[in-house]
Amino acid sequence: MRRLKSSFILATTAVILAACGGDGATDDSAANTASEGAGGQVVNYTAPTELATLDTTLMTDINSSNYISHAIEGLLKINADGKPVPAIAAEAGTVSEDGLTYTYKLRDDAVWSNGEPVTANDFVFAWQRLVDPEAGASYAYLAETIKNANEIMAGEMDPEELGVTAVSDTEITIELTQPTPYFESLLAFSAFFPQNEEFVTEKGDKYGTSSENVLANGPFTIENWDGTGLTWDLVKNEDYYAADEVQLEEVNVQVIKETSTVVNLFQQGSVDNAQVTGELVKQLATDPNVVVQKKARTAYIEFNHDNVYLQNAKLRAAIGLVINRDELVDSVIGDGSTAIGGFLPADFVSNPTTGEDFAAEAGSYLEYDVERAQTLWAEAKAELGVEEITFSLVGDDDEKNKKISQYIQGQIQNNLEGISVELRNVPKKNRLELANQDEFDLLQTGWGADFADAINYMDLLYSTSAYNEGQYANAEFDALIDSSKTTNANNPEARWADLMAAHKLIMEDAAIIPLYQEAETQLRNPNLKGIIFNSVGNEFDLSRAYIEE
């Protein structure tokens, strides 16, 4: 297996040198034999961005979550139908009639990769760490309906007082402060995965920073990641409770950010998947190996509301009006992504009374209107007392996001005279750090749904949210979100109205600028079968995938 890995890297290096010379022609025989020379069930996979961390408490990006979910399982997992089902839990949990108490019994054959059993205390410890303000977990807010979580996050109570109890090594009880319809979906999300207390304590700040500093209890272990490198492996975990259902022996992963490079690698049979964007999507549209996956994910521009100029709503609206979303998705991105008129993606959640999709009911708040934008910019200049402004636009450094950054820069500078946009495209890990440190004016970012509920998006702009990097604050918006979680929590129709009104408010205030709903086009080895794809939460699951001989 190590020899195969070396061959994979050498092939990548060779193709990088010749990548720009590719003509887009396909080589079906090469694609079909990408893994046949590996001597078994070995897959060569590509990723668009690097890993940021393997610590489920500190994880914030989807790529890290995607891969750690192959190594660690929670009480529940998402099945092929998108439903939460037992994983480390031995069976479906019991829920009290008032919806406030959940009880789960754990499997007695789940073990960590160091041989220790997975116990109820591993969940208690991990969740206490999640809500501990000293940990600084961005996803802590997801635990807000667990008893005492808000008081702990505010520093008013100790983490040990969280309403989660290890009744025994194999039984856990969770107390909520209010019914939470999506709670079981949360339990399948990576932020709620368990951690071995002794191991985490021993590793300290090093926990999750490399493959040597994390334990697995899932179908694979993560190997050969040094914390910064662009390669890592998923290796079958023989101690996994369902190891007999896992057919892949190894998944060799390499980050490749240039589309032409990864496509050429696929065509030469060196990799089993190639993410395709831009013109190459059109060139390969009829290729039988093309697979398109639509995501419950919105790409958007976040404003830094601490910037005195960007506190002007007219200026923010003007920026949104000069971006032609149809042109962006059709001519710049070209990967199947679609223009979007609001914050929530289409086909995500529906009105509990009428069944109408949230995005359809909300309607479109965005349009391409340069004349209107220029009028608003003129009014904003008069209000701000300036003629020229320079903004930084921070985004990822992969090929797709660089093109989007350049397009946005051109649209703003060409249509709003006096505004200059300086691009700063950096590795995703650095972009996340810059966002957390408030070091941006415009942030090119996105959000993929962790669970199927509109609150998963609305929470992002709550004034105290850890994901509100732009520091947007609106008391009326906060009040609507609070109402949806308290007064109207058990009234689906009223709760829906709260969330719909909150969405209308942020769109009319140009709090952020949604760009498009993401889709992903890949070339995939047709012999690679059994991958489970999810539009919500972790995006793919290779645990039951296999190479068809």
Side-chain angles (χ1 to χ4, degrees):
M1 292 181 182
R2 295 280 75 76
R3 179 184 59 76
L4 173 73
K5 179 79 179 295
S6 299
S7 300
F8 175 42
I9 295 174
L10 288 172
T12 300
T13 303
V15 174
I16 287 174
L17 297 176
C20 293
D23 60 4
T26 61
D27 182 346
D28 290 341
S29 62
N32 290 336
T33 59
S35 297
E36 288 177 4
Q41 293 287 324
V42 179
V43 169
N44 290 327
Y45 221 71
T46 65
T49 60
E50 49 274 277
L51 295 175
T53 182
L54 297 179
D55 184 343
T56 56
T57 297
L58 301 181
M59 191 180 302
T60 60
D61 68 298
I62 187 60
N63 194 54
S64 297
S65 185
N66 283 337
Y67 283 97
I68 197 63
S69 68
H70 284 82
I72 303 179
E73 284 190 346
L75 286 170
L76 307 178
K77 63 182 178 181
I78 301 299
N79 67 7
D81 297 322
K83 305 297 184 183
V85 297
I88 300 301
E91 57 192 25
T94 60
V95 185
S96 61
E97 288 188 11
D98 60 7
L100 298 180
T101 304
Y102 288 69
T103 302
Y104 294 91
K105 293 186 181 299
L106 276 60
R107 310 180 62 95
D108 57 12
D109 56 353
V111 297
W112 292 106
S113 48
N114 65 354
E116 295 183 4
V118 179
T119 68
N121 185 69
D122 295 330
F123 290 93
V124 174
F125 169 75
W127 298 356
Q128 289 176 353
R129 187 165 177 254
L130 177 68
V131 298
D132 187 344
E134 291 188 8
S138 295
Y139 270 122
Y141 75 96
L142 291 180
E144 64 185 355
T145 61
I146 298 178
K147 184 179 178 181
N148 297 334
N150 287 321
E151 290 80 4
I152 295 168
M153 288 186 280
E156 299 168 359
M157 298 180 75
D158 293 332
E160 291 75 16
E161 297 180 82
L162 186 67
V164 183
T165 304
V167 179
S168 68
D169 283 349
T170 58
E171 184 173 344
I172 186 171
T173 297
I174 308 154
E175 297 176 82
L176 305 184
T177 55
Q178 62 193 54
T180 307
Y182 50 85
F183 187 69
E184 289 204 313
S185 294
L186 291 180
L187 296 182
F189 184 57
S190 52
F192 290 87
F193 287 175
Q195 296 178 350
N196 182 283
E197 181 174 4
E198 183 177 352
F199 185 85
V200 174
T201 302
E202 175 190 340
K203 294 297 181 179
D205 291 342
K206 292 184 179 180
Y207 178 71
T209 60
S210 71
S211 55
E212 294 182 352
N213 292 308
V214 71
L215 292 179
N217 70 358
F220 300 96
T221 60
I222 295 181
E223 309 289 345
N224 302 313
W225 183 61
D226 64 7
T228 59
L230 300 181
T231 60
W232 58 88
D233 303 321
L234 299 178
V235 178
K236 181 177 177 177
N237 181 5
E238 297 294 348
D239 294 324
Y240 178 53
Y241 64 83
D244 59 339
E245 299 178 22
V246 180
Q247 297 191 50
L248 293 181
E249 295 292 333
E250 185 168 348
V251 181
N252 297 326
V253 185
Q254 180 159 347
V255 176
I256 304 175
K257 300 181 180 182
E258 297 77 19
T259 301
S260 56
T261 298
V262 72
V263 169
N264 281 348
L265 282 170
F266 179 85
Q267 291 167 350
Q268 291 191 10
S270 298
V271 300
D272 295 294
N273 75 301
Q275 186 171 335
V276 188
T277 61
E279 287 300 316
L280 283 172
V281 173
K282 298 174 183 177
Q283 293 177 28
L284 298 168
T286 59
D287 191 298
N289 299 316
V290 165
V291 178
V292 179
Q293 299 292 150
K294 197 164 186 177
K295 302 180 181 181
R297 181 175 178 84
T298 299
Y300 61 98
I301 295 174
E302 189 166 8
F303 295 113
N304 189 334
H305 292 267
D306 284 341
N307 183 306
V308 65
Y309 301 121
L310 291 173
Q311 291 172 7
N312 187 289
K314 292 178 180 177
L315 172 54
R316 299 196 303 269
I319 291 172
L321 290 170
V322 298
I323 299 173
N324 187 332
R325 287 159 188 78
D326 291 327
E327 183 176 66
L328 175 63
V329 297
D330 293 336
S331 301
V332 180
I333 303 173
D335 61 359
S337 296
T338 53
I340 196 168
F343 195 21
L344 269 67
D347 304 318
F348 172 47
V349 289
S350 302
N351 187 311
T353 302
T354 67
E356 186 174 9
D357 181 66
F358 189 104
E361 182 175 331
S364 178
Y365 291 87
L366 300 167
E367 57 184 326
Y368 177 57
D369 190 338
V370 173
E371 183 177 350
R372 173 63 177 158
Q374 290 172 342
T375 298
L376 289 173
W377 170 224
E379 293 174 0
K381 285 192 292 185
E383 293 174 4
L384 295 169
V386 297
E387 287 296 325
E388 298 182 350
I389 301 175
T390 298
F391 293 128
S392 66
L393 172 59
V394 173
D396 293 352
D397 68 346
D398 59 279
E399 183 178 356
K400 174 182 175 179
N401 279 290
K402 282 183 178 178
K403 288 182 178 179
I404 295 170
S405 296
Q406 292 164 2
Y407 178 78
I408 292 170
Q409 177 192 48
Q411 290 297 102
I412 294 173
Q413 291 184 163
N414 294 337
N415 294 303
L416 300 176
E417 185 178 356
I419 299 182
S420 297
V421 178
E422 297 177 348
L423 301 185
R424 190 176 181 185
N425 291 95
V426 298
K428 186 170 185 176
K429 185 173 184 177
N430 299 97
R431 191 260 293 172
L432 294 171
E433 291 173 353
L434 290 172
N436 288 333
Q437 295 165 7
D438 209 29
E439 293 185 13
F440 67 92
D441 296 319
L442 309 178
L443 182 68
Q444 193 176 315
T445 187
W447 186 261
D450 301 319
F451 55 91
D453 194 278
I455 196 65
N456 193 214
Y457 279 86
M458 295 293 96
D459 258 342
L460 299 178
L461 294 178
Y462 194 82
S463 59
T464 58
S465 169
Y467 286 95
N468 185 3
E469 290 104 345
Q471 306 301 311
Y472 177 72
N474 185 305
E476 184 179 353
F477 175 82
D478 284 359
L480 286 165
I481 300 304
D482 288 338
S483 175
S484 75
K485 294 179 178 180
T486 55
T487 306
N488 293 327
N490 285 326
N491 184 333
E493 186 174 354
R495 182 174 181 269
W496 181 267
D498 285 338
L499 295 172
M500 188 64 67
H503 180 266
K504 181 175 187 291
L505 193 155
I506 59 171
M507 293 307 303
E508 291 182 344
D509 198 26
I512 46 131
I513 302 297
L515 297 173
Y516 58 92
Q517 179 172 350
E518 288 191 14
E520 183 175 300
T521 297
Q522 285 192 1
L523 288 169
R524 183 165 304 121
N525 180 352
N527 291 338
L528 178 55
K529 309 288 188 179
I531 303 176
I532 297 173
F533 290 93
N534 300 307
S535 63
V536 175
N538 296 314
E539 296 175 319
F540 60 94
D541 179 358
L542 299 169
S543 67
R544 303 304 187 269
Y546 60 95
I547 294 291
E548 187 175 65
E549 301 294 340

